[in-house]
Amino acid sequence: MRKHMMPLGISLAIALTLGASSGAEAATAPSGFIKCSTTGASGDLDYSGFSVGTTRTVDIALGLSDTGRDGHHVRIRLVTEYYSGDKHYWPWHAFYDGVDGIGNTWYTTATDSNGMYEIGVQVATYEGSTMLYSKTCW
């Protein structure tokens, strides 16, 4: 359970921008939930507006918890795949202040003009800039 929540929006050239959908859009948009864990980190991706192969924009919530008593920080990011099989690894969101399930949630929108064929989430445990453990879930 995440006890600390702080919305964060990040803007990129490929457009990871703060956004929200209206109630009508949310009711008709395909949605889903992906849970993913690795040593010391647990995360999830809650999304709406994703339809295989045709999606250009998807509303997402990335939830991340630090589950290790190890002094390491945890990170989470969106991963999308193109029809060609190439993957787009979106920027990391890091959480430095927790243990025992304390974490953070980022609410944002991902936009890619090339479309998205598959959507997933990657969680990792880091020491400084060195990745120690990671897992990607689709």
Side-chain angles (χ1 to χ4, degrees):
M1 178 176 174
R2 288 179 297 278
K3 298 177 185 174
H4 175 73
M5 301 183 92
M6 178 176 64
L8 175 68
I10 294 179
S11 179
L12 301 170
I14 300 182
L16 187 58
T17 56
L18 183 64
S21 61
S22 71
E25 290 170 337
T28 60
S31 61
F33 184 82
I34 301 169
K35 185 136 182 79
C36 198
S37 296
T38 191
T39 302
S42 178
D44 55 66
L45 166 65
D46 194 356
Y47 61 89
S48 66
F50 177 75
S51 182
V52 175
T54 61
T55 298
R56 303 258 189 266
T57 300
V58 62
D59 293 320
I60 63 172
L62 294 168
L64 178 64
S65 295
D66 189 334
T67 60
R69 292 180 177 262
D70 52 18
H72 303 303
H73 72 278
V74 294
R75 298 182 187 186
I76 191 168
R77 68 178 168 183
L78 178 69
V79 181
T80 53
E81 185 175 63
Y82 299 112
Y83 183 74
S84 67
D86 292 337
K87 293 178 180 52
H88 179 178
Y89 293 91
W90 297 77
W92 287 108
H93 297 279
F95 184 69
Y96 296 91
D97 301 325
V99 70
D100 293 334
I102 295 174
N104 202 359
T105 302
W106 294 267
Y107 300 92
T108 190
T109 300
T111 301
D112 192 326
S113 60
N114 294 315
M116 299 174 213
Y117 182 74
E118 189 72 47
I119 188 169
V121 64
Q122 185 177 28
V123 295
T125 303
Y126 272 77
E127 175 59 36
S129 61
T130 303
M131 183 188 293
L132 302 175
Y133 308 100
S134 75
K135 185 169 183 184
T136 303
C137 302
W138 300 93

